[in-house]
């Protein structure tokens, strides 16, 4: 599959149960390879890989979108509605965006754009005030990607977890 015009050829749709395995592997591959390059100290445990692969559990509480090109799932993003179990949104009436990933061979082709466009459109349909998200500390390039889309750094939403520090970003929709 050519990487030319992949973003224009992508069909964005809601994930179905038969997509779960492909989404899980896509997440593991994208997170491991990209964080390994940019943040070599990040180690993905078997437990974390199991969590990434448990797409069925996330579909119960979030809307998972996929980018499909020529019948293959090559990108994904999840959007948790306000108050959903597991949501990390810190603002009231806000969606939580997570798990943006594209197939490694399509990094840099603009495939994230239609996924994020669709997630933002969905959040607007839900009538939320904002979209919240977190980025692993040290992944400045990821933060810049979101800032180019209108997200702003919001330290009040930072999460200092036992295994990771997550920096917070928000995009007001109203």
């Amino acid at each position: 599959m050519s990487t030319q015009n992949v973003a224009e050829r992508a069909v964005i749709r809601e994930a179905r149960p038969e997509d779960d395995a492909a989404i899980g592997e896509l997440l593991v591959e994208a997170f491991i390879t990209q964080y390994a390059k940019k943040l070599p100290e990040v180690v993905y445990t078997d437990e974390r890989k199991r969590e990434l692969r448990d797409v069925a559990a996330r579909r119960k509480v979030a809307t998972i979108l996929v980018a499909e090109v020529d019948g293959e799932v090559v990108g994904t993003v999840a959007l948790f509605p306000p108050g959903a179990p597991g949501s990390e949104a810190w603002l009231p009436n806000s969606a939580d965006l997570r798990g943006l990933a594209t197939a490694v061979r399509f990094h840099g082709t603009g495939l994230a754009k239609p996924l994020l466009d669709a997630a933002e459109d969905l959040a607007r349909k839900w009538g939320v005030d904002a979209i919240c998200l977190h980025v692993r500390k040290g992944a400045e390039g990821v933060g810049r990607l979101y800032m180019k889309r209108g997200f702003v750094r919001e330290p009040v939403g930072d999460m200092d977890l036992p295994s990771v520090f997550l920096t917070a970003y928000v995009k007001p929709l109203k």
Side-chain angles (χ1 to χ4, degrees):
M1 180 184 321
S2 167
T3 59
Q4 275 189 315
N5 304 319
V6 71
E8 287 133 22
R9 294 188 354 250
V11 174
I12 309 300
R13 62 171 175 79
E14 192 167 334
R16 300 183 290 256
E18 59 267 26
D19 300 321
D20 290 355
I23 294 167
E25 291 312 309
L26 182 92
L27 286 166
V28 170
E29 176 195 31
F31 279 68
I32 287 175
T33 60
Q34 292 314 295
Y35 279 129
K37 280 188 216 170
K38 297 171 186 159
L39 301 166
E41 71 281 5
V42 174
V43 175
Y44 274 90
T45 63
D46 288 341
E47 171 69 19
R48 180 63 177 135
K49 290 175 189 174
R50 272 191 296 281
E51 289 170 3
L52 289 170
R53 288 181 175 119
D54 192 3
V55 178
R58 279 191 302 286
R59 267 191 307 96
K60 291 177 183 174
V61 296
T63 298
I64 299 179
L65 302 172
V66 296
E68 184 178 84
V69 175
D70 300 333
E72 180 186 358
V73 172
V74 295
T76 187
V77 68
L79 193 66
F80 290 69
S87 172
E88 294 174 351
W90 63 94
L91 296 172
N93 195 37
S94 293
D96 178 23
L97 184 95
R98 284 208 242 151
L100 174 65
T102 60
V104 172
R105 71 184 184 279
F106 293 125
H107 286 192
T109 63
L111 188 55
K113 183 185 182 319
L115 282 163
L116 290 170
D117 288 346
E120 290 176 17
D121 288 347
L122 179 59
R124 284 185 183 92
K125 285 179 190 163
W126 288 348
V128 300
D129 297 330
I131 300 173
C132 299
L133 63 87
H134 290 93
V135 173
R136 181 182 285 273
K137 183 179 180 180
E140 283 83 11
V142 177
R144 282 192 299 276
L145 167 103
Y146 290 117
M147 290 174 73
K148 286 178 186 174
R149 292 193 59 90
F151 285 81
V152 294
R153 180 77 174 87
E154 186 57 65
V156 72
D158 288 354
M159 296 176 67
D160 190 1
L161 305 174
S163 61
V164 65
F165 187 90
L166 299 173
T167 57
Y169 294 81
V170 64
K171 181 173 185 174
L173 297 180
K174 293 185 177 183

